[in-house]
Amino acid sequence: MRNWLYLHWRAFLHASTRLARQPLGTLLSALVMGIALALPAGAYILLDNIASLARGLSGTPEISLFLDAATQSGGDGSTSANANGDASESKNGDDDKLASAIEQRLQAETELASFRFVPRDEALRQLERSGLGDVLGGLAANPLPDAFIITLRSEDPAVYEKLAERMQAWPGVIHVQLDSAWVKRLHALLGLGRMAVLVLATLLGLALVIVTFNTIRLQILTQKMEIEVSRLLGATDPFIRRPFYWFGVLQGILGGLVALGVVWAGVAALVDPVTALAETYGAVFTLSGPDDASALGVVAFAAFLGWLGTEISVQRHLTEPF
Amino acid sequence: MIVFDAVSKRYAGGYTALDGVTLRIADGELAILSGHSGAGKSTLLKLLPAIERPTAGTVRINDQDVSALPRRAIPYLRRNLGLVLQESRLLFDRTVFDNVLLPLAITGHPPGDAAIRVAAALDKVGLTGREKEFPAGLSGGEQQRVAIARAIVNRPSILIADEPTAHLDRAYAAEIAALFRSFNNAGVTVLISTHDASLFAEWSPRRITLARGRLLEA
Ligand SMILES: Nc1ncnc2c1ncn2[C@@H]1O[C@H](COP(=O)(O)OP(=O)(O)OP(=O)(O)O)[C@@H](O)[C@H]1O
Ligand SMILES: [Mg+2]
């Protein structure tokens, strides 16, 4: 085991020496790999930022539940779930009963994160403050219904729709408004974006495997003599192959580091303009680069591609029996 | 003990390089293999480290049938043999020290002890102090000495050399011959092919002669 570790250490040194002895070739390969990897990595970071931006802008998507104004204003009672036929009952009392009945139903729902009752008077005041008061001023009575504003635990549009459908059937509910249309659209767009990143990463990953394959093939050719002599002196296949694996993996790691550098540079260049742009929309937003886990992921992915290219090359070019 | 038992070697092209060779070489023997060019000397030597495999017959080293060895076992066979091949086969991008170190590096020998062994091997071939030089800067005779140091650094009990004195002038060739004689004196079995058996005549070695793949004298 110690001997095995020592042999790996020797192979690692051997490979590093080879990389260091041809700095230009090493640099060019690292740049090719790095720039190619920076594309999907950068796109991924961008998507991540858009997703968090979207969450920041909308807060949490809401459901608005409007109560039946007819039940509230008319003394009719026939449409009211809680009609008790007492004509002398005040209008407010009627409202309160309907509101508290809905409230009870809402409390029984497990999917809700929060809900808030907005009485029709408050809704009118909000509308007046927003500058639409003049339009409403002409009306004799307040046309707005009482409402509940509901937020859910889940961000899944499907959950929203199912709940909204159920609420629509509740007595006294005249309309359920769902602002999930754009949530749905965003979800779909992000999904599409992630798929595009995946396809891009796969294609460019394949290209990098091919690049490594060829680099290792050339390395094997230039070291043909050394390989032959080593075999004659009793080198096993793993001994012959080890330095090439290290070479491929080290080159992959260098490529991954270059990719991270490119992404970081891109983020650094864009952070101020993006913040300024967000401010014009009244939003506070800072573009963020990859976190430690993603950074490590990029380097590990690059190292894996290097290993894979080497593996194929070694299987292809280093298996002929001597 | 090296045993060739009815060994034939027919190359892929159809040429029969060895034809029914039966031969024994005892431990500690000094054996000189001669014959005309194309007689099959190199082929015979290449069977021992399983560089080539016989098409018929068996080759045994210390009761191990090397002609039937699985591919995976071949590296371990070669580690116990000292090989000096027809072309010196040094690595020209490595120093003398690193060339001689190679067999020890292959087995993952601890570096401290390896350095001592390399120094001892270079001392035996008379190249002490030349460790940091590169082979290209050495004469043909000196390069051959490096190749010999590399062959003995693992302290093999059998030393096989294919025309180690070719391309050397007579004085150098005699020095190299004496070097092999000294290893043989130390108990190593030595098998050398040469065009010039007279170089070794003073030690009256075992003479093996091949002609067109057949044994003339053994
Ligand atoms: N790999 C090979 N493929 C086909 N034929 C070969 C191969 N190696 C050797 N031969 C043939 O086998 C015969 C014996 O070759 P070998 O190298 O053993 O002779 P040799 O006695 O070492 O000759 P020399 O003194 O010139 O080195 C030669 O005719 C040679 O052409
Ligand atoms: Mg020959």
Side-chain angles (χ1 to χ4, degrees), chain B residues 38 41-43 86 162-163 193:
Chain B
K41 303 184 294 296
S42 296
T43 303
Q86 200 154 358
D162 195 1
E163 308 213 28
S193 82

Side-chain angles (χ1 to χ4, degrees), chain A residues 103-250:
Chain A
E103 192 173 332
Q104 269 173 22
R105 281 173 177 271
L106 288 174
Q107 258 152 7
E109 292 291 338
T110 52
E111 300 276 2
L112 305 195
S114 72
F115 63 88
R116 180 167 56 89
F117 181 61
V118 182
R120 48 205 295 260
D121 297 343
E122 191 191 319
L124 185 63
R125 274 197 300 278
Q126 270 182 15
L127 212 55
E128 279 167 356
R129 246 180 288 138
S130 73
L132 283 170
D134 292 346
V135 182
L136 296 163
L139 297 170
N142 178 1
L144 300 175
D146 288 336
F148 279 93
I149 309 292
I150 298 158
T151 59
L152 297 197
R153 273 186 239 283
S154 161
E155 282 183 35
D156 182 357
V159 174
Y160 273 64
E161 280 181 356
K162 248 178 36 211
L163 188 67
E165 221 168 276
R166 194 138 38 86
M167 287 173 169
Q168 189 73 67
W170 290 356
V173 171
I174 191 166
H175 181 63
V176 176
Q177 186 172 317
L178 202 57
D179 61 351
S180 76
W182 80 273
V183 173
K184 232 169 146 175
R185 217 167 286 150
L186 183 72
H187 260 266
L189 276 175
L190 285 175
L192 190 69
R194 289 201 178 102
M195 187 49 93
V197 167
L198 198 69
V199 169
L200 200 64
T202 309
L203 284 178
L204 288 168
L206 196 68
L208 294 188
V209 168
I210 294 168
V211 167
T212 312
F213 171 85
N214 196 47
T215 313
I216 297 298
R217 188 180 68 85
L218 293 175
Q219 281 289 314
I220 290 171
L221 283 179
T222 56
Q223 295 177 47
K224 199 169 159 29
M225 178 75 166
E226 185 169 342
I227 292 167
E228 258 173 44
V229 170
S230 298
R231 285 220 164 106
L232 284 175
L233 296 174
T236 56
D237 281 343
F239 180 88
I240 303 277
R241 291 173 183 185
R242 247 177 243 130
F244 294 105
Y245 282 114
W246 277 113
F247 191 95
V249 166
L250 281 174

Side-chain angles (χ1 to χ4, degrees), chain A residues 228-289:
Chain A
E228 258 173 44
V229 170
S230 298
R231 285 220 164 106
L232 284 175
L233 296 174
T236 56
D237 281 343
F239 180 88
I240 303 277
R241 291 173 183 185
R242 247 177 243 130
F244 294 105
Y245 282 114
W246 277 113
F247 191 95
V249 166
L250 281 174
Q251 195 164 68
I253 289 173
L254 288 178
L257 292 176
V258 170
L260 281 183
V262 171
V263 169
W264 274 116
V267 168
L270 288 176
V271 70
D272 286 342
V274 166
T275 307
L277 183 70
E279 265 168 17
T280 66
Y281 283 94
V284 180
F285 176 72
T286 342
L287 196 65
S288 52

Side-chain angles (χ1 to χ4, degrees), chain B residues 4-43:
Chain B
F4 289 85
D5 189 7
V7 172
S8 293
K9 173 65 184 179
R10 204 179 157 84
Y11 279 111
Y15 190 90
T16 303
L18 291 176
D19 189 3
V21 172
T22 296
L23 174 68
R24 278 164 186 270
I25 297 166
D27 289 345
E29 220 171 347
L30 172 64
I32 303 302
L33 179 61
S34 48
H36 62 86
S37 190
K41 303 184 294 296
S42 296
T43 303

